Amino acid sequence: VLHAYTRASAAGIAVNPASRTAAVNFANVVLADPGAWSWCKNDPCKSRLRLHALDAIGDAGDRRTSYLGDIDAAGPQFDIADRIRLARLLLLAPGYADRGTAEAHALADRVYQTGALATFNAPDRYRWFAQPVIAQALMTRLLVVQHADAPTVDRLTRSLLALRRNGSWGCACQNAAALDALVDVAAAAGPPANINATATVGSLPVASVVFTDHRAGSQTTNLPAARLPHGQNPVTLTLANPGTLHYALTYRYRLAGPQRGQLNGLRIT
């Protein structure tokens, strides 16, 4: 709840001050005495509650390190989602950056990257109950805090978006975790730059597009095959001014000869 209040305030949404104060006070109670509840009497459970309380307090702007050493010591007993959450907390906590970096590197070894995607692979012993959306979202937030390179964060974000089904990631908690990560990615990227981009095939310029603010630039260029350079030639996008550009390029061509599929059932383009 405290984390939700913090996100809402950052977005300019009015939050009842009394409700926010009550949430802060409750998080402080959990941090100080997680064993106050009858269902949480063993040390791993207490450490897990303290982790979530300290994480919420930190996101609210209070970067205290109370009990963080004890929480870190219990880290090997946490599930994979809480291990990622702990690594992010360590990275942000004063005096714990080295520990956070070590944990982040160990977790990053489980990110499987392809040309366009990057997926976090949970260890075998967690796969039967781990929620892929939660782990993917938390790993994305962790690498944003770690200032990972833009292509890696972009691939993680694409993989997170690919986990949607019918526009949703699943339950409310999964939707919240995914949106949390997307907010962090957007905040780290900052406002989009105005970019002029030119596409070339080999040395031949074929199109120029202007990308402005959040509006997606789109252009279709028809190019006769006779104008294309001979041999293998890469399609290159050159930016006239600095910035990060996310783009998609689609190449379509007409088959040579008569297009028989028009009359005989199947046409391939």
Side-chain angles (χ1 to χ4, degrees):
V1 173
L2 178 56
H3 180 73
Y5 284 157
T6 303
R7 284 297 202 193
S9 296
I13 300 171
V15 173
N16 185 296
S19 297
R20 188 182 187 282
T21 299
V24 171
N25 291 338
F26 180 74
N28 285 324
V29 168
V30 174
L31 183 63
D33 186 16
W37 290 267
S38 59
W39 46 266
C40 189
K41 294 301 183 181
N42 58 61
D43 289 338
C45 178
K46 293 178 183 178
S47 295
R48 184 172 181 273
L49 286 187
R50 278 184 167 144
L51 168 64
H52 284 255
L54 196 59
D55 187 42
I57 291 169
D59 283 344
D62 184 351
R63 290 292 169 197
R64 75 178 77 169
T65 58
S66 305
Y67 304 102
L68 186 52
D70 295 336
I71 296 171
D72 185 26
Q77 302 176 68
F78 292 160
D79 63 33
I80 195 63
D82 281 340
R83 285 182 58 197
I84 302 172
R85 187 176 282 108
L86 173 60
R88 180 176 176 274
L89 184 60
L90 290 167
L91 274 173
L92 293 171
Y96 286 85
D98 289 344
R99 276 288 304 129
T101 299
E103 286 297 308
H105 281 318
L107 290 163
D109 287 341
R110 294 193 170 277
V111 175
Y112 174 70
Q113 297 198 46
T114 62
L117 302 176
T119 304
F120 180 78
N121 293 321
D124 289 338
R125 66 189 178 116
Y126 294 117
R127 285 180 182 168
W128 68 276
F129 70 92
Q131 296 176 321
V133 172
I134 302 293
Q136 185 79 17
L138 287 171
M139 195 65 203
T140 303
R141 296 189 72 201
L142 172 60
L143 292 192
V144 167
V145 167
Q146 199 183 11
H147 304 293
D149 60 276
T152 299
V153 174
D154 184 60
R155 292 186 187 104
L156 281 165
T157 305
R158 287 174 180 271
S159 296
L160 179 60
L161 292 171
L163 291 173
R164 290 175 297 176
R165 296 294 180 270
N166 298 321
S168 171
W169 282 277
C171 66
C173 62
Q174 290 175 318
N175 285 331
L179 291 173
D180 225 13
L182 296 179
V183 168
D184 279 2
V185 171
N194 296 332
I195 295 176
N196 297 334
T198 300
T200 59
V201 178
S203 60
L204 176 67
V206 295
S208 293
V209 185
V210 177
F211 296 87
T212 305
D213 296 328
H214 289 281
R215 294 189 295 274
S218 176
Q219 181 168 322
T220 300
T221 300
N222 296 316
L223 189 67
R227 286 189 57 199
L228 291 174
H230 294 290
Q232 293 184 354
N233 294 278
V235 178
T236 306
L237 208 62
T238 304
L239 307 185
N241 43 340
T244 300
L245 177 64
H246 299 268
Y247 66 92
L249 184 148
T250 302
Y251 174 58
R252 293 179 294 179
Y253 61 94
R254 181 182 176 89
L255 297 175
Q259 306 303 300
R260 296 181 58 192
Q262 183 176 4
L263 302 175
N264 293 306
L266 178 64
R267 182 171 183 173
I268 301 173
T269 61

